[in-house]
């Protein structure tokens, strides 16, 4: 937790270095008076720092304070420094107004030699007198003063108004000094009020440990510089200091969270504290706690929110429970926070939220604990304060339907809310807060039904506050006024209004077997009414906490790893302090004791017990104040419980008892009347005992319990049942339910402290910079008081000289022993630890070896961790490659075996599937393809017969030719026998050879012809496909023309009917004027059996035809076009069919065969050309007919118009 130490911890203190460096530069030029005083030499202690302070004059606090602040500093004997400690303690006691308690200093080690400044005894055993020491140091004091004057070093001095200002010492005289301030004013101050100032380079450092001079004005100035730059977080060793900015600063959000998660940023921040707690929890598997403290208005609640926000981002999982945890803060703020005179959002209860994590670091759930809700705020408010936020949010943000159901009015109409004349908070929208509260309820999974019950009880509390009373007699007895307040309160509670009025105005007392009803006075009735309201609200708050815990419960995934965030009310001191403030300040005393225990007591006691050199640091111990409150039998709480058991005891008798029994305690002081004063760690607080006894008893009449049990409201029944169950339990000392409020709170506080003791704490101290809650306003006195209360200076001193890293010898050897290169070292843990330290040349002043543990300064453990990480990375790298080799070999063998197995399995599966498919196919083929198979066989038989006949005819021709040749040969042979000469025989043989050659050539030509025939058949099949596509195209075009023609005919028929109705019946002539019947049609036959028509078309638009037009001529023209269309379609279909049916004789010659192959394609082209020509002409005539139809239509319209 502690940051790395300043380099000064290894050698000399910062003051020694400054003086020595300046002396070395000026020793040749300056007179002897300018030489700084000689500093004592350091002891030759193995692995230990000097453990006492350097002895300098106590009269000059500049030196003494500087030496107290430095990291190692020089050491003085106990006897020499004792007067200085007493004088310094008296000065601080005067400033703080509290007593100091020192745990003493460790005895000095002897045997350092004559030059050691730490000797406490002479050889004869006589101690050195402190007075003699002071006299011996006078020259050193004079040299120091002169050195500060000559070097013009800056110092801090307190001026008349109590503020600290920078200046330079001009001169000194006795115990006073003249100092020139930065404003050029010269003031005269006592030397005791001077403190050294840090150089400019250390202005605004992140950690106060880094300051060369640690004193109150330097700390104040450092925090003020950072605060002016909106840097609100600083570190004081292990403690984070958070100064409330009272405005929004841009140092939060997802980007900043991501930066801290990646460790890209290490600046002080609440995110850094949460990250450190998370890392330590995961690394050491130990529960952590983040304790946020500070006075009211210092920003504890907001700081806790940001810590939870970071943990939710760090441990967010898929279940979304982290989002529910964040939303619980909205619910708890609405029901548990209120506006006080010091804080607009003050927590009026304490809460500890325990966030549980899984083994992988993901949030698995949470548990919430609350402490001492301030119930009195429900019914009683001081001027300028508000009750709990939920009342104002409900009145401002409830829907009209909800307001009507709850009979709600504005907040100003309720007595509990308007009594303080403060209904709103600047910059806060209560209606918007209420809407966010409803969203939080839904996210935390509180049902709508339960939400409405909660709002109904809140409204009932408000209406109870409006219940008024009427005095009925001279004894001040009262009765309840029957108005809307009682009616609405009873309705919302679910009880009878008359019964409620009886409970509020009477008290039933049990006298033996008789029950007596006693009327209440006005004060008693008011207390009864307020008691009911406070009980309902407190029980409702506890019930809400239970519902939240049910929604966030961990269940079976509990791993024992958790981070607890404590956000509890801060120290309070008002003008009027009552029982609530006493309990709050008591809780803060306990937390301060926990802080002291972990940062001062335990650490220093551990150093002493383990035998290392250490000088204790004095700190403010509040044990005496805790004894005043807790000690039995005369502690304040014990006396309060004792007085609460007396029926006739009053607040005055309680105050007198305190003054009688506690007057000897230095932290207690009695005041006049009922008041008393307690000297807390943060200052004195005056308490008024008015109401102490009643609030400590917290009575609840039985009539009220019976009334709540009879209500229809389920929540009120539940609350009354819990109270009855508690009252029925036997009275036991261990049973906190039968104890008073003070004792019960003490038990809760001890339980909390016990839980925190079992965790590793991380402290955040929140500082309130000003009492007016304004941004950029820095009140030094207020900040200084808070810094003194939390012991910041003492924490930094311990952090500078302490050893934050502590490991047992077994732990250190077990974790880093494998780094040893020398294996001959003894294997006991102590020897291994020392050997590791020597191997890595750790400076002796950076560690100490105790009896059981090894103590390391800040940053040293990081060196070993880095080295360990590198070695482990190398080992893991080697193991990774070897395991990879083994894995690859194993994988290859397994893969090969799997492939073989897969091949066999796939083969079996394939064979099975093939058999199944073959059977199915055989069954289907045997039935479905019998006809196709028969047709194929017939086709094959026909083709084979044709081929056989062709071969047969060819062989037959060859045989006939051979016979003719044989006969001719025989005849020639017969002739040659008588006439022909031998030379003719050779000629005849030559001719035979030529005939054979010609025969072979013919065979080749026949083969070529057969190949051409095959190609022609293929081409013919292509032509057939083209013909089919062309025929489809013609059919589509014919259909289009038919549709156009039908439309025209329909239109003309409509007009014709109209014309016949207007002009009488006309004779229709069916004779075509176009003479389509006599048009010339010639067919040229290019192929036998194929008809190729050639038609000459006329459009019939001759003058003779136009002169013979009659009224029905247009309709006849359309009819003729339709008939022509049908006729031409038939003609084209027949021609195309004729072309397809043409067959070529296989025995034709090669030339004829060539012509026959070209004939179908040419006919095809000619037929297409004729069709296109006719279609173009037909479309033209069709358009002309449409035009005439339109002209006739216009002519008929003009005639009709006339």
């Amino acid at each position: 937790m502690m940051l790395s130490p300043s380099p000064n911890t290894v050698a000399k203190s910062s003051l020694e270095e400054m003086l020595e460096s300046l002396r070395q530069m000026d020793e040749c030029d300056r007179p002897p008076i300018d030489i700084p005083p000689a500093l004592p030499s350091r002891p030759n202690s193995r692995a230990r720092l000097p453990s006492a302070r350097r002895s300098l004059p106590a009269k000059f606090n500049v030196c003494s304070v500087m030496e107290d602040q430095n990291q190692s500093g020089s050491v003085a004997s106990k006897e020499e420094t004792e007067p200085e400690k007493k004088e310094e303690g008296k000065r601080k006691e005067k400033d703080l107004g509290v007593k100091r308690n020192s745990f003493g200093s460790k005895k000095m080690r002897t045997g350092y030699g004559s030059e050691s400044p730490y000797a406490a005894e002479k050889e004869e055993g006589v101690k050195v007198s402190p007075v003699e020491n002071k006299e011996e140091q006078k020259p050193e004091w004079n040299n120091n003063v002169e050195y500060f004057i000559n070097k013009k070093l800056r110092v801090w001095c307190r001026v008349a108004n109590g503020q600290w200002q920078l200046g330079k010492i001009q001169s000194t005289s006795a115990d006073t000094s003249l100092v020139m301030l930065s404003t050029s004013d010269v003031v005269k101050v006592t030397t005791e009020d001077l403190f050294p100032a840090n150089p400019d380079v250390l202005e605004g450092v992140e950690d106060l440990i880094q300051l060369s001079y640690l004193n109150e004005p330097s700390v104040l100035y450092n925090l003020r510089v950072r605060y002016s730059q909106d840097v609100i977080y600083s570190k004081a060793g292990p403690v984070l200091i958070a100064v409330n900015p009272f405005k929004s600063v841009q140092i939060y959000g997802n980007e900043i969270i991501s930066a801290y998660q990646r460790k890209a940023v290490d600046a002080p921040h609440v995110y850094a504290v949460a990250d450190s707690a998370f890392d330590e929890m995961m690394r050491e598997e130990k529960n952590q706690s983040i304790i946020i403290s500070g006075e009211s208005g210092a920003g504890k609640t907001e700081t806790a929110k940001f810590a939870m926000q970071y943990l939710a981002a760090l441990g967010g999982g898929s279940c979304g429970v982290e989002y529910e945890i964040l939303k619980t803060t909205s619910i708890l703020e609405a029901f548990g926070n209120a506006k006080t005179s010091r804080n607009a959002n003050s927590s009026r209860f304490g809460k500890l939220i325990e966030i549980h994590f899984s083994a992988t670091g993901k949030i698995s759930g949470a548990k919430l604990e609350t402490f001492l809700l301030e119930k009195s705020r429900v019914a009683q408010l001081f001027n300028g304060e508000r009750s709990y936020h939920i009342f104002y949010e409900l009145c401002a943000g409830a829907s009209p339907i909800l307001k009507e159901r709850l009979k709600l009015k504005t907040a100003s109409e309720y007595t509990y809310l308007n009594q303080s004349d403060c209904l709103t908070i600047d910059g806060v929208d209560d209606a918007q807060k209420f809407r966010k509260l409803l969203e939080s309820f839904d996210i935390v999974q509180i049902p709508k039904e339960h939400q409405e019950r909660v709002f109904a009880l809140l409204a009932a509390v408000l209406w109870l506050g409006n219940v008024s009373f009427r005095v009925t007699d001279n004894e001040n007895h009262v009765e309840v006024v029957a108005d809307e307040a009682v009616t609405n309160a009873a309705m919302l509670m679910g009880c009878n209004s008359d019964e409620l009025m009886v409970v509020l105005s009477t008290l039933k007392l049990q006298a033996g077997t008789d029950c007596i009803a006693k009327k209440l006075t006005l004060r008693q009735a008011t207390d009864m009414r307020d008691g009911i309201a406070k009980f309902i609200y407190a029980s409702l708050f506890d019930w809400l906490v239970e519902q939240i815990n049910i929604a966030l419960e961990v269940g079976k995934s509990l791993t024992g790893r958790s981070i607890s965030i404590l956000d509890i009310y801060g120290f309070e001191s008002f003008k009027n302090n009552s029982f609530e403030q006493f309990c709050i300040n008591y809780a803060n005393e306990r937390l301060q004791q926990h802080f002291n225990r972990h940062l001062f007591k335990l650490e220093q006691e551990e150093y002493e017990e383990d035998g290392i050199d250490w000088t204790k640091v004095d700190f403010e111990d509040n044990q005496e104040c805790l004894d005043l409150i807790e000690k039995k039998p005369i502690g304040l709480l014990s006396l309060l419980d004792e007085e609460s058991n007396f029926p006739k005891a009053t607040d005055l008798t309680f105050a007198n008892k305190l003054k009688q029994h506690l007057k000897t305690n230095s932290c207690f002081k009695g005041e006049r009347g009922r008041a008393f004063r307690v000297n807390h760690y943060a200052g004195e607080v005056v308490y008024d005992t008015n109401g102490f006894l009643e609030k400590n008893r917290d009575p609840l009449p039985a009539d009220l319990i019976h009334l709540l049990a009879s209500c229809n409201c389920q929540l009120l029944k539940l609350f009354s049942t819990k109270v009855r169950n508690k009252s029925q339990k036997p009275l036991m000392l261990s049973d906190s339910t039968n104890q008073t409020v003070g004792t019960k709170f003490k038990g809760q506080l001890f339980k909390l402290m016990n839980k925190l003791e079992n965790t590793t704490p991380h402290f955040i101290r929140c500082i309130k910079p000003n009492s007016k809650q304004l941004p950029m306003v820095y009140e030094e006195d207020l900040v200084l008081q808070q810094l003194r209360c939390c012991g910041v200076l003492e924490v930094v001193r311990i952090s500078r000289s302490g050893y934050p890293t502590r490991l047992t010898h077994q732990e250190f050897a077990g974790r880093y022993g494998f780094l040893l290169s020398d294996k001959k070292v003894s294997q006991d843990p102590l020897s291994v630890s020392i050997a590791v330290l020597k191997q890595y040349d750790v400076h002796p002043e950076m560690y100490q070896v105790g009896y059981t543990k090894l103590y390391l300064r800040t940053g040293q453990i990081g060196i070993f961790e880095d080295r360990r990480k590198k070695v482990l990375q190398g080992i893991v790298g080697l193991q990774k490659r070897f395991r990879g080799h083994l894995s690859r070999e194993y994988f290859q063998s397994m893969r090969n075996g799997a492939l073989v197995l897969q091949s066999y399995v796939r083969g079996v599966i394939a064979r099975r599937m093939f058999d199944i498919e073959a059977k199915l196919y055989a069954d289907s083929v045997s039935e479905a393809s019998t006809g196709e198979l028969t047709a194929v066989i017939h086709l094959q038989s026909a083709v084979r017969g044709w081929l056989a006949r062709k071969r047969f005819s060819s062989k037959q021709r060859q045989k006939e030719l051979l016979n003719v040749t044989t006969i001719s040969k025989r005849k020639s042979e017969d002739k040659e026998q008588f006439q022909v000469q031998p030379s003719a025989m050779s000629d005849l043989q030559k001719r035979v050879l030529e005939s054979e050659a010609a025969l072979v050539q013919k065979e080749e030509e026949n083969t070529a012809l057969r190949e051409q025939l095959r190609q022609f058949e293929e081409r013919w099949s292509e032509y057939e496909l083209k013909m089919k596509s062309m025929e489809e195209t013609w059919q589509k075009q014919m259909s289009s023309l038919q549709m156009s023609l039908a439309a025209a005919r329909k239109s003309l028929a409509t007009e014709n009917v109209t014309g016949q109705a207007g002009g009488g019946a006309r004779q229709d002539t069916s004779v075509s004027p176009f003479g389509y019947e006599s048009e010339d049609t010639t067919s040229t036959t290019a192929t036998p059996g194929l008809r190729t028509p050639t038609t000459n078309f006329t459009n019939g638009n001759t003058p003779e035809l136009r002169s013979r037009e009659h009224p029905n001529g247009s309709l006849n023209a359309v009819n003729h076009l339709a008939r022509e269309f049908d006729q031409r379609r038939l003609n084209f279909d027949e021609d195309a069919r004729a072309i397809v049916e043409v067959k070529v004789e296989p025995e034709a010659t090669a030339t004829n065969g060539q012509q026959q192959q070209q004939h179908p394609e040419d006919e095809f082209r000619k037929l297409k050309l004729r069709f296109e020509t006719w279609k173009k002409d037909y479309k033209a005539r069709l358009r002309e007919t449409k035009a005439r139809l339109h002209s006739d239509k216009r002519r008929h319209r003009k005639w009709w118009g006339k």
Side-chain angles (χ1 to χ4, degrees), residues 135-149:
E135 292 177 355
E136 293 174 1
Q137 296 294 340
K138 280 185 179 179
E140 183 176 337
W141 142 251
N142 291 332
N143 290 342
N144 275 327
V145 172
E146 293 297 331
Y147 190 77
F148 269 83
I149 294 174

PDB file of all heavy atoms in Angstrom, residues 135-149:
ATOM      1  N   GLU A 135      23.514  22.923  26.249  1.00  0.00           N
ATOM      2  CA  GLU A 135      24.575  23.922  26.274  1.00  0.00           C
ATOM      3  C   GLU A 135      25.641  23.595  25.255  1.00  0.00           C
ATOM      4  O   GLU A 135      26.199  24.469  24.605  1.00  0.00           O
ATOM      5  CB  GLU A 135      25.170  23.986  27.679  1.00  0.00           C
ATOM      6  CG  GLU A 135      24.173  24.557  28.704  1.00  0.00           C
ATOM      7  CD  GLU A 135      24.745  24.544  30.095  1.00  0.00           C
ATOM      8  OE1 GLU A 135      25.862  24.003  30.258  1.00  0.00           O
ATOM      9  OE2 GLU A 135      24.088  25.042  31.027  1.00  0.00           O
ATOM     10  N   GLU A 136      25.932  22.305  25.088  1.00  0.00           N
ATOM     11  CA  GLU A 136      26.947  21.935  24.118  1.00  0.00           C
ATOM     12  C   GLU A 136      26.516  22.228  22.701  1.00  0.00           C
ATOM     13  O   GLU A 136      27.347  22.438  21.838  1.00  0.00           O
ATOM     14  CB  GLU A 136      27.243  20.439  24.262  1.00  0.00           C
ATOM     15  CG  GLU A 136      27.916  20.098  25.586  1.00  0.00           C
ATOM     16  CD  GLU A 136      28.065  18.612  25.757  1.00  0.00           C
ATOM     17  OE1 GLU A 136      27.652  17.877  24.835  1.00  0.00           O
ATOM     18  OE2 GLU A 136      28.573  18.181  26.794  1.00  0.00           O
ATOM     19  N   GLN A 137      25.230  22.269  22.438  1.00  0.00           N
ATOM     20  CA  GLN A 137      24.737  22.438  21.082  1.00  0.00           C
ATOM     21  C   GLN A 137      24.521  23.901  20.725  1.00  0.00           C
ATOM     22  O   GLN A 137      24.042  24.185  19.640  1.00  0.00           O
ATOM     23  CB  GLN A 137      23.420  21.679  20.909  1.00  0.00           C
ATOM     24  CG  GLN A 137      23.550  20.184  21.052  1.00  0.00           C
ATOM     25  CD  GLN A 137      24.384  19.574  19.948  1.00  0.00           C
ATOM     26  OE1 GLN A 137      24.581  20.154  18.897  1.00  0.00           O
ATOM     27  NE2 GLN A 137      24.931  18.397  20.213  1.00  0.00           N
ATOM     28  N   LYS A 138      24.814  24.821  21.594  1.00  0.00           N
ATOM     29  CA  LYS A 138      24.574  26.232  21.282  1.00  0.00           C
ATOM     30  C   LYS A 138      25.318  26.705  20.059  1.00  0.00           C
ATOM     31  O   LYS A 138      24.761  27.410  19.227  1.00  0.00           O
ATOM     32  CB  LYS A 138      24.930  27.095  22.492  1.00  0.00           C
ATOM     33  CG  LYS A 138      23.829  27.102  23.547  1.00  0.00           C
ATOM     34  CD  LYS A 138      24.157  28.067  24.664  1.00  0.00           C
ATOM     35  CE  LYS A 138      23.035  28.090  25.701  1.00  0.00           C
ATOM     36  NZ  LYS A 138      23.358  29.024  26.819  1.00  0.00           N
ATOM     37  N   PRO A 139      26.572  26.394  19.871  1.00  0.00           N
ATOM     38  CA  PRO A 139      27.236  26.828  18.633  1.00  0.00           C
ATOM     39  C   PRO A 139      26.546  26.285  17.397  1.00  0.00           C
ATOM     40  O   PRO A 139      26.429  26.984  16.399  1.00  0.00           O
ATOM     41  CB  PRO A 139      28.658  26.262  18.793  1.00  0.00           C
ATOM     42  CG  PRO A 139      28.830  26.100  20.267  1.00  0.00           C
ATOM     43  CD  PRO A 139      27.506  25.735  20.804  1.00  0.00           C
ATOM     44  N   GLU A 140      26.089  25.023  17.480  1.00  0.00           N
ATOM     45  CA  GLU A 140      25.394  24.464  16.325  1.00  0.00           C
ATOM     46  C   GLU A 140      24.128  25.254  16.034  1.00  0.00           C
ATOM     47  O   GLU A 140      23.794  25.511  14.885  1.00  0.00           O
ATOM     48  CB  GLU A 140      25.061  22.993  16.604  1.00  0.00           C
ATOM     49  CG  GLU A 140      24.399  22.277  15.458  1.00  0.00           C
ATOM     50  CD  GLU A 140      24.211  20.819  15.798  1.00  0.00           C
ATOM     51  OE1 GLU A 140      24.932  20.317  16.657  1.00  0.00           O
ATOM     52  OE2 GLU A 140      23.314  20.210  15.207  1.00  0.00           O
ATOM     53  N   TRP A 141      23.366  25.653  17.044  1.00  0.00           N
ATOM     54  CA  TRP A 141      22.143  26.447  16.848  1.00  0.00           C
ATOM     55  C   TRP A 141      22.461  27.773  16.181  1.00  0.00           C
ATOM     56  O   TRP A 141      21.805  28.181  15.226  1.00  0.00           O
ATOM     57  CB  TRP A 141      21.459  26.621  18.197  1.00  0.00           C
ATOM     58  CG  TRP A 141      20.824  27.975  18.412  1.00  0.00           C
ATOM     59  CD1 TRP A 141      21.241  28.951  19.243  1.00  0.00           C
ATOM     60  CD2 TRP A 141      19.648  28.453  17.789  1.00  0.00           C
ATOM     61  NE1 TRP A 141      20.426  30.019  19.194  1.00  0.00           N
ATOM     62  CE2 TRP A 141      19.419  29.739  18.289  1.00  0.00           C
ATOM     63  CE3 TRP A 141      18.776  27.927  16.853  1.00  0.00           C
ATOM     64  CZ2 TRP A 141      18.344  30.503  17.900  1.00  0.00           C
ATOM     65  CZ3 TRP A 141      17.718  28.704  16.480  1.00  0.00           C
ATOM     66  CH2 TRP A 141      17.498  29.976  16.988  1.00  0.00           C
ATOM     67  N   ASN A 142      23.512  28.426  16.695  1.00  0.00           N
ATOM     68  CA  ASN A 142      23.878  29.719  16.115  1.00  0.00           C
ATOM     69  C   ASN A 142      24.270  29.564  14.661  1.00  0.00           C
ATOM     70  O   ASN A 142      23.909  30.378  13.801  1.00  0.00           O
ATOM     71  CB  ASN A 142      25.026  30.335  16.919  1.00  0.00           C
ATOM     72  CG  ASN A 142      24.582  30.770  18.312  1.00  0.00           C
ATOM     73  OD1 ASN A 142      23.408  31.092  18.497  1.00  0.00           O
ATOM     74  ND2 ASN A 142      25.505  30.752  19.279  1.00  0.00           N
ATOM     75  N   ASN A 143      25.022  28.512  14.346  1.00  0.00           N
ATOM     76  CA  ASN A 143      25.434  28.286  12.968  1.00  0.00           C
ATOM     77  C   ASN A 143      24.221  28.059  12.066  1.00  0.00           C
ATOM     78  O   ASN A 143      24.173  28.571  10.945  1.00  0.00           O
ATOM     79  CB  ASN A 143      26.373  27.082  12.893  1.00  0.00           C
ATOM     80  CG  ASN A 143      27.725  27.396  13.537  1.00  0.00           C
ATOM     81  OD1 ASN A 143      28.069  28.564  13.722  1.00  0.00           O
ATOM     82  ND2 ASN A 143      28.453  26.354  13.894  1.00  0.00           N
ATOM     83  N   ASN A 144      23.238  27.302  12.538  1.00  0.00           N
ATOM     84  CA  ASN A 144      22.053  27.046  11.730  1.00  0.00           C
ATOM     85  C   ASN A 144      21.291  28.316  11.420  1.00  0.00           C
ATOM     86  O   ASN A 144      20.849  28.542  10.302  1.00  0.00           O
ATOM     87  CB  ASN A 144      21.125  26.064  12.452  1.00  0.00           C
ATOM     88  CG  ASN A 144      21.522  24.624  12.192  1.00  0.00           C
ATOM     89  OD1 ASN A 144      22.004  24.310  11.115  1.00  0.00           O
ATOM     90  ND2 ASN A 144      21.343  23.786  13.195  1.00  0.00           N
ATOM     91  N   VAL A 145      21.086  29.159  12.413  1.00  0.00           N
ATOM     92  CA  VAL A 145      20.363  30.405  12.198  1.00  0.00           C
ATOM     93  C   VAL A 145      21.104  31.273  11.201  1.00  0.00           C
ATOM     94  O   VAL A 145      20.516  31.805  10.246  1.00  0.00           O
ATOM     95  CB  VAL A 145      20.157  31.143  13.529  1.00  0.00           C
ATOM     96  CG1 VAL A 145      19.576  32.530  13.289  1.00  0.00           C
ATOM     97  CG2 VAL A 145      19.271  30.346  14.449  1.00  0.00           C
ATOM     98  N   GLU A 146      22.392  31.424  11.398  1.00  0.00           N
ATOM     99  CA  GLU A 146      23.166  32.238  10.470  1.00  0.00           C
ATOM    100  C   GLU A 146      23.142  31.659   9.061  1.00  0.00           C
ATOM    101  O   GLU A 146      23.096  32.393   8.077  1.00  0.00           O
ATOM    102  CB  GLU A 146      24.623  32.338  10.984  1.00  0.00           C
ATOM    103  CG  GLU A 146      24.790  33.103  12.285  1.00  0.00           C
ATOM    104  CD  GLU A 146      24.373  34.555  12.128  1.00  0.00           C
ATOM    105  OE1 GLU A 146      24.487  35.088  11.006  1.00  0.00           O
ATOM    106  OE2 GLU A 146      23.916  35.155  13.128  1.00  0.00           O
ATOM    107  N   TYR A 147      23.155  30.355   8.985  1.00  0.00           N
ATOM    108  CA  TYR A 147      23.140  29.729   7.661  1.00  0.00           C
ATOM    109  C   TYR A 147      21.821  30.005   6.928  1.00  0.00           C
ATOM    110  O   TYR A 147      21.799  30.298   5.742  1.00  0.00           O
ATOM    111  CB  TYR A 147      23.355  28.221   7.812  1.00  0.00           C
ATOM    112  CG  TYR A 147      23.602  27.528   6.497  1.00  0.00           C
ATOM    113  CD1 TYR A 147      24.847  27.624   5.878  1.00  0.00           C
ATOM    114  CD2 TYR A 147      22.598  26.801   5.870  1.00  0.00           C
ATOM    115  CE1 TYR A 147      25.078  26.996   4.671  1.00  0.00           C
ATOM    116  CE2 TYR A 147      22.825  26.181   4.660  1.00  0.00           C
ATOM    117  CZ  TYR A 147      24.075  26.276   4.067  1.00  0.00           C
ATOM    118  OH  TYR A 147      24.299  25.666   2.867  1.00  0.00           O
ATOM    119  N   PHE A 148      20.698  29.934   7.644  1.00  0.00           N
ATOM    120  CA  PHE A 148      19.413  30.236   7.021  1.00  0.00           C
ATOM    121  C   PHE A 148      19.346  31.690   6.583  1.00  0.00           C
ATOM    122  O   PHE A 148      18.755  32.015   5.549  1.00  0.00           O
ATOM    123  CB  PHE A 148      18.264  29.923   7.990  1.00  0.00           C
ATOM    124  CG  PHE A 148      17.725  28.533   7.869  1.00  0.00           C
ATOM    125  CD1 PHE A 148      18.341  27.480   8.517  1.00  0.00           C
ATOM    126  CD2 PHE A 148      16.619  28.274   7.088  1.00  0.00           C
ATOM    127  CE1 PHE A 148      17.851  26.203   8.401  1.00  0.00           C
ATOM    128  CE2 PHE A 148      16.118  26.993   6.959  1.00  0.00           C
ATOM    129  CZ  PHE A 148      16.741  25.947   7.617  1.00  0.00           C
ATOM    130  N   ILE A 149      19.960  32.558   7.394  1.00  0.00           N
ATOM    131  CA  ILE A 149      19.927  33.984   7.037  1.00  0.00           C
ATOM    132  C   ILE A 149      20.801  34.251   5.828  1.00  0.00           C
ATOM    133  O   ILE A 149      20.380  34.920   4.871  1.00  0.00           O
ATOM    134  CB  ILE A 149      20.396  34.833   8.240  1.00  0.00           C
ATOM    135  CG1 ILE A 149      19.388  34.700   9.389  1.00  0.00           C
ATOM    136  CG2 ILE A 149      20.543  36.299   7.836  1.00  0.00           C
ATOM    137  CD1 ILE A 149      19.849  35.392  10.669  1.00  0.00           C
TER     138      ILE A 149
END
